[in-house]
Amino acid sequence: MSAIEVVPLNWYLMLSTILFTIGVLGVLFRRNAIIIFMSIELMLNAVNLLLVAFSSYLSDSKGQVFVFFIMAVAAAEVAVGLAILMMVYRNTKSSDINVLNKLKW
Amino acid sequence: MITTYLFGFLSFLAIMFALMVVLSKNPVHSVLYLVLTFFTIAGHYVLLNAQFLAAVHVIVYAGAIMVLFLFVIMLLNLNEETEPHKSVWLKASATVAAGLLLVVLVGSLKGAETIVATNKFDPNIGLIENLGKSLFTDFLLPFEVSSILLLVAMVGAVLLGKKSIK
């Protein structure tokens, strides 16, 4: 028996909202660039979960194909982002985002 | 009935682990909690009849992406002592801002109409057979383009990671 028959879709909406908000909280709360990156992954996953929930409740596989593409894009994003972080660390000797304030007004 | 309890249990674990990602002092612990969060989300995918996506999620996120994160954290030698922290004032305002965002989102979704149950849920759409068909017919072009994207990302990562670019 699957969750589709017993769990209302609104519960998944709430769960995804809470996970997304925790991701936003992580971005605002921390100064370590890697933790901020992980919070962005958390937000992506909240959206993925909602896409899968809608696709299952509507019996339409297109949403799940989209999640598949989002995973591919997230993998590419993480590879490039972590390479940039390595460069930043090599040049500034820290992963603190407050060091990167050259473009700040 | 047991599915409802399973949903509640997995949701509770997902939220707790996600909070621990943000709040734990040690970056390595954050990564490990994020892996646990991804496992609970994979459990949600199984509950939603998306078995193929659950497997891909575990392989790609918990297997590949988090190992990459762990590698970078260990290369940079980050630990509790070197961890930069915001001031208490900024942390409090960040929490208030995120809480207000949660209130706004929940408030706007509260009145949303729920989808009418048609009793005609197709339990097979999450299987690899149906997803593969849809991926290679309707979404063939995006599928091929995403392979180019992965190639570009790989080249970019190698180029950025090189010691010096002359």
Side-chain angles (χ1 to χ4, degrees):
Chain A
M1 187 156 146
S2 71
I4 304 171
E5 288 141 36
V6 284
V7 179
L9 181 56
N10 283 12
W11 293 12
Y12 276 104
L13 266 173
M14 290 304 151
L15 174 64
S16 298
T17 310
I18 291 170
L19 282 178
F20 188 87
T21 317
I22 292 173
V24 173
L25 175 69
V27 171
L28 295 174
F29 197 81
R30 300 298 291 259
R31 265 172 62 189
N32 190 337
I34 293 182
I35 310 276
I36 290 178
F37 218 57
M38 278 158 49
S39 304
I40 293 173
E41 290 300 310
L42 208 57
M43 287 193 260
L44 275 173
N45 269 281
V47 176
N48 273 356
L49 180 63
L50 200 57
L51 271 172
V52 172
F54 270 105
S55 125
S56 290
Y57 277 80
L58 295 173
S59 291
D60 187 346
S61 67
K62 288 194 179 68
Q64 300 194 9
V65 175
F66 261 85
V67 172
F68 193 74
F69 287 133
I70 291 174
M71 279 179 190
V73 173
E77 173 231 337
V78 165
V80 175
L82 286 178
I84 292 175
L85 277 186
M86 289 295 293
M87 282 282 280
V88 167
Y89 185 79
R90 202 178 289 150
N91 288 324
T92 65
K93 293 280 170 276
S94 88
S95 64
D96 187 352
I97 51 159
N98 282 21
V99 177
L100 307 171
N101 54 5
K102 291 266 162 55
L103 284 179
K104 207 169 165 184
W105 183 50
Chain B
M1 203 63 220
I2 194 156
T3 320
T4 317
Y5 285 129
L6 209 55
F7 171 85
F9 181 64
L10 281 175
S11 308
F12 176 74
L13 282 186
I15 292 169
M16 279 300 129
F17 288 145
L19 274 177
M20 289 305 289
V21 171
V22 176
L23 298 179
S24 67
K25 296 259 190 295
N26 196 330
V28 179
H29 292 176
S30 287
V31 173
L32 295 177
Y33 280 120
L34 193 55
V35 173
L36 288 174
T37 314
F38 286 158
F39 273 112
T40 55
I41 289 176
H44 273 298
Y45 287 172
V46 173
L47 275 186
L48 283 167
N49 280 330
Q51 291 90 343
F52 174 64
L53 272 186
V56 170
H57 189 265
V58 169
I59 292 168
V60 171
Y61 273 105
I65 293 184
M66 296 328 288
V67 170
L68 213 58
F69 269 106
L70 220 57
F71 259 124
V72 169
I73 283 183
M74 288 176 177
L75 272 175
L76 302 189
N77 198 16
L78 297 178
N79 48 39
E80 233 168 287
E81 288 87 54
T82 57
E83 175 74 10
H85 276 291
K86 282 187 172 167
S87 63
V88 179
W89 181 241
L90 272 176
K91 277 184 176 175
S93 49
T95 314
V96 170
L100 286 177
L101 178 70
L102 181 67
V103 169
V104 169
L105 284 175
V106 168
S108 64
L109 294 172
K110 194 82 180 159
E113 283 180 35
T114 183
I115 291 175
V116 183
T118 52
N119 282 335
K120 268 191 266 174
F121 295 119
D122 183 3
N124 295 323
I125 60 154
L127 298 183
I128 190 164
E129 191 185 345
N130 292 297
L131 273 184
K133 262 182 201 151
S134 157
L135 204 56
F136 282 105
T137 51
D138 297 342
F139 292 92
L140 185 59
L141 181 65
F143 183 74
E144 299 293 343
V145 171
S146 70
S147 72
I148 298 175
L149 175 76
L150 286 174
L151 178 70
V152 170
M154 192 175 75
V155 173
V158 171
L159 196 68
L160 283 171
K162 263 171 62 167
K163 204 78 188 169
S164 63
I165 304 160
K166 296 276 174 184

